[in-house]
Amino acid sequence: MSARASRGSAADNATVVTSQKVREGRTEEYQRWQDRTNEAAREFEGFVGAEVYPPGAGEENEWVAVFRFSGMDRLTDWLDSDRRQELLDEAHGLFEGPPAQEVLQGGSSAPPTPEVVTAVISHEVRPGREQDFLAWQERTLKAQEKAPGFMGSELFKPVEGVQDHWVVVFRFDSREHLDDWLTSDVRKTLLEEGQKYFTSYDVRKIATSFSGWFQFDHDKGGEAPPNWKQAMSVVLALYPTVMVLNLTVGYGLEKLTIREYIGLFLSNVLSVSALTWLLMPLVNRALAFWLVPSRATSRRVQVLGVVVVVLCYLVSIGVFGLITHQIW
């Protein structure tokens, strides 16, 4: 099957969120395995996108992988496939326990927007208490809406034949605001009440890294590039930005005898602004053939993109070497 991204209505969207705690010292091996898994999923009909989210600072080594398909049948084709089972067998020993998995039907197909932190909470609802759970969830949402930084919530019902859990996904504008809500007295009181309606629940957090500089039609179901491509592209734009600022603004600030820590702050403001609104959009357009996952489906394109970026590095270094008269 060829790699392709399919589009459909929101009601047709199907997403699987997998959380896996990686054993200490096996992170790099896990990342290589996850890359192979993402490539395998890409070959299946109806594939829309995949994202992998590393653990936050100070958290356990728990990684979250999200796969999006254009329909539940297509998602289950991937989940039940021999290829996926082979990959899971191959990963035996990488994780401390079996991965936790939640399947979501409907809802938004786009990944979290920049800086947004998402919590995925699954509930095992007591039989016969479904309506009570829904009423409790409605009260919880009203309380959430008053919390600082709250950006929205979605409720996903069980998927017959796939999973029995009810899943709630909600978003905050920062990890700090999300953690404040999760540890608040209001939520603690609500959870105590909710114990009458569900027997257990599980919380997972998802965050992004450089995603603010890499937006390829996210509202249409696009996806962000892998972190290593993001890092290479940011360096490509960051190096000339810093050099130009040092040779112009930095020189001017020295002449004005502005204190170093103030000058550094002003330089950071200018460099981030230049990256966000000028240089990164240009880099995104120029390297879209390599950065957009749905386009970079062949090894030739992957290698070509790396070669182009490295050549740009060398050109930049050579140009600024000549400008500063420090070339060999």
Side-chain angles (χ1 to χ4, degrees):
M1 287 171 284
S2 61
R4 62 196 241 186
S6 301
R7 301 264 200 298
S9 67
D12 294 331
N13 295 327
T15 303
V16 59
V17 180
T18 304
S19 176
Q20 42 226 351
K21 189 174 294 185
V22 178
R23 292 184 185 276
E24 186 175 355
R26 307 292 295 273
T27 298
E28 291 186 5
E29 187 179 352
Y30 159 72
Q31 289 176 307
R32 291 192 295 270
W33 173 85
Q34 188 65 62
D35 286 341
R36 292 195 302 275
T37 302
N38 294 353
E39 289 300 318
R42 195 184 305 279
E43 298 295 324
F44 278 71
E45 185 77 16
F47 175 83
V48 172
E51 304 97 48
V52 179
Y53 301 98
E59 295 184 353
E60 296 180 345
N61 199 22
E62 187 168 5
W63 293 67
V64 175
V66 179
F67 293 88
R68 307 171 194 276
F69 282 77
S70 59
M72 184 55 64
D73 290 344
R74 291 170 173 177
L75 174 61
T76 54
D77 284 346
W78 157 245
L79 293 178
D80 298 336
S81 67
D82 293 338
R83 178 56 179 144
R84 181 170 181 267
Q85 187 58 53
E86 290 173 3
L87 287 161
L88 291 174
D89 293 341
E90 180 185 331
H92 180 71
L94 287 180
F95 309 127
E96 292 186 6
Q101 176 177 293
E102 305 298 341
V103 175
L104 316 179
Q105 185 170 25
S108 171
S109 66
T113 52
E115 306 304 325
V116 172
V117 181
T118 303
V120 180
I121 305 183
S122 61
H123 304 78
E124 187 174 345
V125 177
R126 298 180 187 275
R129 305 303 299 269
E130 290 82 5
Q131 292 304 315
D132 292 330
F133 171 77
L134 287 172
W136 171 84
Q137 186 59 50
E138 186 66 27
R139 291 193 295 275
T140 300
L141 176 58
K142 290 181 179 179
Q144 277 183 313
E145 290 173 344
K146 300 176 183 178
F150 177 73
M151 299 186 68
S153 175
E154 293 178 272
L155 174 65
F156 298 87
K157 297 180 179 181
V159 181
E160 185 176 358
V162 179
Q163 75 164 24
D164 298 326
H165 293 168
W166 293 68
V167 181
V168 178
V169 177
F170 53 82
R171 301 172 179 87
F172 279 78
D173 62 0
S174 70
R175 181 172 291 273
E176 181 181 5
H177 281 149
L178 172 61
D179 289 339
D180 286 346
W181 163 251
L182 292 176
T183 58
S184 66
D185 291 338
V186 173
R187 183 169 182 271
K188 181 180 179 181
T189 301
L190 285 164
L191 285 177
E192 290 174 353
E193 178 189 348
Q195 298 300 321
K196 295 181 291 185
Y197 315 128
F198 53 84
T199 58
S200 65
Y201 69 95
D202 182 56
V203 180
R204 286 185 295 284
K205 305 173 189 176
I206 304 174
T208 57
S209 52
F210 293 117
S211 299
W213 287 333
F214 297 89
Q215 295 185 41
F216 299 104
D217 295 328
H218 278 182
D219 57 324
K220 298 179 182 179
E223 51 179 315
N227 284 345
W228 65 273
K229 288 187 180 182
Q230 295 184 29
M232 288 185 69
S233 302
V234 171
V235 171
L236 178 62
L238 181 62
Y239 173 69
T241 301
V242 172
M243 287 299 299
V244 169
L245 288 175
N246 283 341
L247 295 172
T248 55
V249 178
Y251 180 77
L253 292 176
E254 285 184 7
K255 290 294 185 180
L256 295 173
T257 65
I258 292 178
R259 295 185 181 276
E260 183 177 357
Y261 61 89
I262 296 179
L264 182 60
F265 171 76
L266 294 175
S267 295
N268 285 338
V269 170
L270 290 173
S271 62
V272 171
S273 299
L275 284 173
T276 302
W277 289 292
L278 177 61
L279 293 178
M280 287 311 302
L282 293 175
V283 169
N284 286 344
R285 286 196 292 270
L287 297 178
F289 74 95
W290 176 66
L291 287 172
V292 180
S294 60
R295 300 187 193 179
T297 57
S298 68
R299 183 176 297 275
R300 178 177 176 274
V301 172
Q302 300 283 14
V303 172
L304 177 61
V306 172
V307 170
V308 169
V309 173
V310 171
L311 286 176
C312 290
Y313 288 166
L314 296 176
V315 170
S316 295
I317 292 171
V319 168
F320 287 110
L322 290 171
I323 292 175
T324 59
H325 307 291
Q326 296 180 24
I327 199 73
W328 300 283

